[in-house]
């Protein structure tokens, strides 16, 4: 009853090719966006980003992205802002500063593929399950709760969809946003 | 005592042969010197001197003759893990060190060691009942056998003993007593050392060959019914056992290399306090538990700020749970890994399925991106929390009918349902475990929770994942590094498993979900257990 390995390999390869193609189409990942910088054809959009807080939960932080309005562009802007970390000192950055966004691809069915890249090919960060969930759900919630077209998120690391992203949770399927992970604001 | 591997056991016949030959040689030495009477030595100085072994300083009896200084042998022998005794005849002395024996007497400068007869620069003397020997006696014994270089500084009256060519061996020593067994674990993070283990009477000695324990090596506090004392010498660990205690030694060869001594009482059984704490039922056979030590190999899991590594501690915890569980129940315990190796999550579940396990318990330690959270929590899979299933099903609906992967995904979803048949039992076990952790240890109750842990997804039996504390919390990290704390955690889990098992084996009482009919019940989301909780807000 298990998925035959060749199918999984083909699927991973297809995703990789798709991402590479999408990367070519959109060009290389731009440097972190400066929301205050007004580029032609873009506009400011307020978003709630979800960063790790106390008790293993996520806390919303109000931020602003500049976007063309296209869903993929919105996703990329949100992800890049999550990767730069929170402004509040009471919240934690989910990723090390060396982690960058390699590519974003949104399928018509609302599954968004986010490919992150570690420095010098480093693997995904390790940690306990709470840390793992905080880290990845920070990204999933920030994307899926801000971009209506992105209903679920598939996370890739260095172009590959891993079995898990730290040894705990199943990363072979799309992640849905989890509001139970979000702490109520005081 | 039975030592299983790499152990030299002093057999009685060998001991008697050595003693007999020693007595003969002693007689021969003393006989041989009769024709040459030696004048009594004249002491030109006497008192005490300093003995400096590395950073350790001791006082020892000192004297000097015209031929040179003499030093109290007993104090040096004790310091280096040797032993000095009077011979049975009372006419000589026997120094035992590093599996070698030296016979010497005050009447002669000659020393017998095995088949060799050595002549010292001067004969030993006794001063106030203490045997004093010249420097060359120290060189032929401790120098040749353990690499000590001796130097006497007359102005400060200090005897220096150094081992310039000896490398320091890093080691960590833990001692824990549970279920009538005392377990001493000596961990060597840098890999296996060269060593021998010897047993004489109730003393067991682990001696490093060509190495010395690093100065950072610490002994655990000894409050143990079977182990009366631990002593650490430069190159040896001496374990003094209580009367009637026997033991075994195991090597765990994978990194970090560990020597595990198990000691237990032999002869008339006496129940230890730890055994009395846990009255355990003895149900029928055929019960299989798969323990899954989280992470391993290149996948470290959580890292504590003070050096704790999740993959190492989960293995230690699982081994401890296995030991206690096997003592508590006639159970077959299988570990998904028994060494520091990477095992895929799918493979871990498959091990449980292939062995038709009755339970799967995955053992983990937690960490958070903030240092504050602490406490234990127990997880089981749920349909709701496993949004993956709903997501995957929705994904299927959204895909084109000619999607080649459709049947493949459907298979995966059906496979996932394997665990849903056991959700109620998983929930029961999770609640029992969390209850025991709270009751036994007074840990902060983080509750029974549900999450899509990969290792639980395909399990065809009740399956839970326990997070036994946060390594990101410095206080809890320190506790988790303590073997006695880990033993208490293991005891709580074992007690919960025994409680879970108990109603299933009581004649005429079937546990919920244990019958084939119940197994065939369509998957349902279990009701919230009493201890269930969502993450705190």
């Amino acid at each position: 009853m298990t998925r035959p390995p060749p199918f999984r390999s083909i699927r991973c390869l297809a995703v990789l090719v798709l991402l590479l193609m999408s990367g070519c189409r959109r060009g290389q990942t731009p440097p972190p966006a400066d929301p205050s910088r007004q580029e032609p054809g873009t506009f400011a959009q307020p978003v709630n980003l979800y960063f790790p807080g106390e008790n293993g939960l996520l806390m919303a932080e109000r931020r602003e992205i500049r976007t063309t309005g296209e869903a993929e562009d919105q996703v990329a802007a949100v992800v890049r802002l999550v990767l730069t970390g929170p402004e509040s000192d009471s919240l934690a950055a989910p990723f090390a500063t060396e982690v960058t966004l390699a590519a974003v691809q949104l399928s018509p069915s609302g599954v968004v593929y986010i490919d992150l890249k570690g420095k010098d090919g480093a693997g995904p960060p390790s940690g306990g399950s709470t840390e793992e969930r905080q880290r990845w759900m920070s990204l999933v919630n920030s994307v899926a709760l801000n971009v209506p077209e992105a209903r679920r998120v598939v996370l890739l690391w260095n172009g590959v969809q891993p079995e898990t992203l730290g040894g705990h949770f199943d990363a072979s399927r799309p992640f849905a946003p989890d509001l139970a992970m979000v702490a109520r604001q005081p | 005592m039975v030592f299983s591997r790499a152990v030299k056991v002093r057999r009685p016949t060998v001991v008697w042969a050595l003693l007999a030959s020693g007595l003969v040689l002693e007689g021969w030495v003393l006989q041989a010197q009769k024709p040459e009477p030696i004048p009594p030595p004249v002491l030109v100085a006497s008192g005490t001197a300093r003995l400096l072994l590395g950073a350790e300083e001791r006082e020892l009896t000192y004297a000097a003759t015209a031929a040179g200084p003499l030093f109290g042998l007993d104090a040096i022998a004790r310091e280096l893990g040797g032993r000095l005794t009077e011979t049975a005849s009372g006419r000589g002395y026997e120094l035992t060190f590093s599996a070698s024996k030296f016979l010497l007497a005050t009447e002669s400068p000659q020393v017998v060691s095995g088949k060799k007869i050595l002549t010292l620069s001067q004969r030993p003397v006794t001063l106030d009942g203490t045997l004093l020997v010249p420097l060359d006696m120290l060189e032929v014994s401790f120098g040749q056998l353990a690499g000590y270089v001796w130097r006497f500084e007359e102005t400060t009256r200090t005897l220096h003993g150094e081992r310039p060519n000896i490398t320091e061996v890093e080691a960590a020593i833990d001692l824990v007593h549970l279920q009538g067994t005392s377990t001493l674990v000596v961990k060597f993070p840098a890999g296996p050392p060269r060593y021998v283990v010897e047993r004489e009477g109730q003393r067991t000695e682990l001696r490093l060959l060509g190495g010395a324990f690093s100065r950072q090596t610490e002994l655990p506090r000894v409050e143990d019914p079977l182990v009366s004392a631990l002593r650490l010498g430069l190159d040896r660990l001496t374990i003094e056992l209580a009367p009637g205690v026997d033991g075994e030694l195991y090597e765990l060869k994978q990194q970090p290399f560990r020597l595990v001594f198990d000691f237990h009482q032999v002869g008339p059984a006496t129940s230890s306090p730890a055994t009395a704490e846990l009255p355990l039922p003895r149900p029928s056979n055929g019960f299989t538990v798969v323990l899954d030590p989280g992470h391993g190999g290149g996948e470290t899991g959580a890292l504590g700020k003070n050096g704790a590594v999740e993959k190492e501690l989960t293995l230690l915890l699982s081994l401890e749970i296995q030991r206690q569980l096997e003592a508590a129940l006639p159970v077959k315990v299988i570990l998904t890994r028994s060494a520091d190796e990477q095992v895929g999550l799918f493979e871990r579940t498959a091990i449980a399925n292939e062995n038709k396990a009755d339970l799967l318990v995955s053992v983990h330690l937690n960490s958070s991106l903030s240092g504050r959270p602490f406490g234990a929590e127990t997880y089981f899979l749920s349909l709701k929390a496993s949004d993956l299933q709903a997501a995957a099903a929705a994904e299927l609906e959204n895909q084109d009918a000619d999607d080649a992967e459709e049947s493949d995904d459907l298979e995966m979803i059906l496979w996932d349902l394997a665990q849903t048949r056991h959700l109620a039992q998983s929930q029961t076990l999770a609640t029992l475990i969390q209850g025991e952790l709270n009751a036994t240890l007074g840990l902060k109750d983080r509750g029974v929770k549900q999450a899509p842990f990969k290792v639980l997804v395909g399990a065809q039996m009740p399956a839970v994942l326990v997070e036994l504390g946060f390594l990101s919390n410095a206080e809890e990290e320190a506790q988790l590094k303590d073997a006695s704390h880990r033993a208490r955690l293991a005891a709580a889990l074992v007690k919960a498993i025994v409680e879970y098992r108990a109603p299933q084996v009581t004649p005429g009482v079937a546990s919920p979900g244990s019958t084939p009919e119940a197994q065939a019940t369509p998957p349902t989301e279990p009701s919230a257990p009493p201890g269930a909780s969502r993450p705190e807000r």
Side-chain angles (χ1 to χ4, degrees):
Chain A
M1 294 292 281
T2 61
R3 179 201 302 269
F7 280 107
R8 179 169 289 181
S9 304
I10 290 166
R11 193 179 201 188
C12 285
L13 200 63
V15 168
L16 185 62
V17 169
L18 211 68
L19 285 167
L20 286 172
M21 286 171 63
S22 68
C24 293
R25 181 158 52 86
R26 271 179 294 282
Q28 297 308 306
T29 307
D34 178 0
S36 61
R37 193 175 145 202
Q38 295 201 1
E39 291 174 6
T42 66
F43 60 91
Q45 179 184 323
V47 289
N48 284 323
L49 300 186
Y50 297 89
F51 290 107
E54 296 301 333
N55 291 321
L57 298 178
L58 302 173
M59 299 272 287
E61 185 177 76
R62 196 72 169 163
R63 300 282 286 275
E64 195 174 82
I65 57 169
R66 289 206 71 84
T67 173
T68 60
E70 283 184 22
E72 279 184 357
D73 187 65
Q74 287 177 310
V75 171
V78 165
V79 172
R80 279 195 290 269
L81 215 48
V82 169
L83 294 180
T84 61
E87 286 178 343
S88 165
D89 290 338
S90 62
L91 301 177
F95 295 92
T97 50
E98 295 85 10
V99 176
T100 54
L101 174 64
V104 165
Q105 170 76 31
L106 181 62
S107 81
S109 60
V111 176
V112 61
Y113 295 84
I114 298 172
D115 183 16
L116 300 183
K117 192 168 63 174
K119 188 185 181 187
D120 300 327
S126 60
S129 66
T130 298
E131 186 177 336
E132 187 179 328
R133 194 159 45 164
Q134 279 181 306
R135 178 172 290 124
W136 298 107
M137 290 312 293
S138 170
L139 211 55
V140 171
N141 276 7
S142 295
V143 167
L145 298 177
N146 284 296
V147 184
E149 292 87 343
R151 291 162 50 202
R152 292 180 300 280
V153 178
V154 171
L155 297 161
L156 295 92
W157 190 270
N158 293 336
V160 176
Q161 185 179 3
E163 184 186 29
T164 79
L165 288 158
H168 299 99
F169 300 112
D170 190 345
S172 64
R173 312 284 181 78
F175 284 91
D178 187 359
L179 283 169
M181 283 271 314
V182 181
R184 292 183 199 280
Q185 300 288 2
Chain B
M1 170 177 258
V2 179
F3 290 121
S4 60
R5 290 177 194 168
V7 178
K8 291 180 182 173
V9 181
R10 188 156 294 142
R11 295 164 193 246
T13 48
V14 177
V15 175
W16 283 115
L18 276 169
L19 281 173
S21 61
L23 287 170
V24 169
L25 285 166
E26 181 200 3
W28 182 82
V29 169
L30 299 177
Q31 194 72 29
Q33 73 197 7
K34 269 185 183 171
E36 297 174 24
I38 299 172
V42 177
L43 300 182
V44 295
S46 66
T48 58
R50 289 195 313 152
L51 170 65
L52 211 58
L53 294 168
E56 301 286 329
E57 186 179 321
R58 296 283 185 276
E59 193 176 81
L60 80 165
T61 309
Y62 161 82
T65 66
L70 295 152
F71 306 98
L73 183 58
D74 190 28
I76 299 171
R78 266 188 282 113
E79 212 49 53
L80 301 182
R83 197 152 51 106
L84 183 67
T85 52
E86 275 194 42
T87 59
S89 66
R91 294 167 64 194
Y93 293 86
E94 185 181 76
L95 170 68
T96 308
F97 180 70
S98 285
S100 294
K101 286 181 188 294
F102 298 84
L103 278 170
L104 61 168
T106 53
E107 297 167 13
S108 166
Q110 290 171 316
V111 177
V112 178
S113 174
K115 291 179 181 174
K116 288 184 193 168
I117 300 174
L118 313 161
T119 303
L120 302 177
S121 56
Q122 61 175 312
R123 57 186 171 142
V125 300
T126 53
L127 183 63
D128 299 326
T130 301
L131 182 73
L132 289 89
V133 296
L135 208 56
D136 47 356
M137 175 62 203
L138 305 180
E139 284 163 0
V140 299
S141 53
F142 307 113
Q144 288 184 9
L145 291 171
Y148 285 93
V149 175
W150 299 98
R151 180 170 55 86
F152 181 59
E153 212 175 285
E154 209 157 336
T155 50
T156 57
R157 206 182 268 187
T158 303
L159 175 64
H160 297 266
E162 289 166 351
R163 295 206 292 177
N165 300 318
I166 300 297
T167 51
E168 284 205 344
V169 178
E170 198 184 327
I173 304 166
D174 272 336
L175 174 67
V176 66
H177 179 88
L178 277 163
Q179 303 292 321
T181 298
S182 293
T183 301
L184 181 79
V185 181
V186 187
K187 183 167 81 173
F188 296 94
R194 288 176 57 232
Y195 73 96
V196 291
V197 174
E198 296 170 276
R199 169 82 186 267
E200 268 198 30
Q202 291 310 102
R203 174 185 291 180
T204 297
E205 224 169 51
L206 162 65
R207 188 162 54 81
L208 302 178
L209 300 174
F213 284 102
S214 86
R215 289 173 194 180
Q216 283 73 43
T217 309
E218 289 181 2
L219 284 176
R221 197 169 54 179
V222 180
E223 291 174 349
D224 193 283
L226 306 184
V227 177
S228 46
L230 292 176
R231 284 195 305 276
L232 194 64
L234 281 175
D235 66 346
R236 67 199 56 214
L237 170 66
T238 306
I239 308 156
E240 298 286 357
L241 300 176
V245 173
D246 206 340
E248 291 154 4
L249 169 66
Y250 306 95
E251 278 185 349
L252 297 177
K253 293 192 175 185
Q254 288 77 18
Q255 273 293 89
F257 180 86
R258 279 150 292 157
L259 292 176
V260 180
F261 296 83
D262 273 352
F263 298 114
H264 44 83
Q265 192 81 38
V266 292
T270 52
S271 66
S272 66
T275 311
E277 275 173 16
L278 203 61
L280 300 169
R282 309 289 295 178
S284 60
N285 292 324
F287 188 55
T288 302
V289 175
V290 168
L291 296 174
D292 171 41
H295 309 281
E299 196 187 86
T300 58
L303 301 172
K305 284 191 173 63
N306 296 311
V309 182
E310 184 185 358
K311 66 172 184 176
E312 293 175 2
L313 294 176
T314 55
L315 182 56
L316 284 176
L317 278 159
S318 299
L319 288 167
E320 186 60 38
I321 296 165
Q322 177 184 28
R323 192 189 329 277
Q324 291 190 37
L325 197 55
E326 285 173 344
L329 288 173
V331 61
K332 184 180 175 186
V333 179
I334 297 164
L335 266 65
T336 56
R337 68 175 177 97
S338 54
D340 183 18
E341 58 193 351
Q342 197 154 342
V343 181
L345 293 176
F346 183 83
E347 196 182 331
R348 291 168 193 253
T349 319
I351 289 170
N353 290 340
E354 283 165 12
N355 285 284
K356 301 192 186 323
D358 296 287
L359 293 178
L360 168 63
V361 179
S362 189
V363 179
H364 282 252
L365 297 171
N366 216 334
S367 73
S368 167
L369 284 164
S370 77
R372 283 196 188 173
F374 64 97
E377 52 200 13
T378 312
Y379 286 88
F380 68 103
L381 193 71
S382 87
L383 286 174
K384 183 174 182 301
S386 177
D387 285 329
L388 307 173
Q389 287 184 328
E395 184 73 1
L396 258 184
E397 288 167 12
N398 289 331
Q399 284 173 350
D400 294 335
D402 60 353
D403 189 334
E405 291 182 285
E406 180 175 349
S407 60
D408 184 37
D409 277 344
L410 187 60
E411 277 190 353
M412 285 299 285
I413 291 165
L414 290 173
W415 171 260
D416 288 356
L417 293 181
Q419 175 56 199
T420 66
R421 294 194 303 171
H422 304 283
L423 283 179
Q425 291 163 288
S426 300
Q427 177 188 344
T428 302
L429 178 62
T431 307
L432 285 170
I433 288 175
Q434 191 63 29
E436 284 302 333
L437 288 171
N438 298 340
T440 308
L441 298 164
L443 294 178
K444 180 182 180 183
D445 182 10
R446 296 183 65 85
V448 173
K449 296 179 179 176
Q450 296 170 265
F453 282 97
K454 179 80 172 176
V455 75
L456 303 180
V457 168
Q460 296 174 311
M461 72 288 300
V464 297
L465 185 145
V466 285
E467 293 278 10
L468 291 169
F470 279 78
L471 288 181
S472 50
N473 182 294
E475 195 178 327
E476 212 158 44
E477 180 191 7
Q479 287 179 332
L480 288 161
K481 284 162 83 174
D482 177 10
S484 60
H485 180 75
R486 293 198 300 270
R488 286 194 296 275
L489 288 169
L493 259 73
V494 168
K495 203 169 175 184
I497 292 171
V498 170
E499 281 175 38
Y500 173 87
R501 174 70 171 153
Q504 299 193 16
V505 295
T506 308
V509 178
S511 65
S514 64
T515 63
E517 292 76 16
Q519 295 280 328
T521 303
T524 55
E525 186 70 7
S527 58
S533 67
R534 298 298 289 171
E536 299 133 71
R537 289 166 198 278

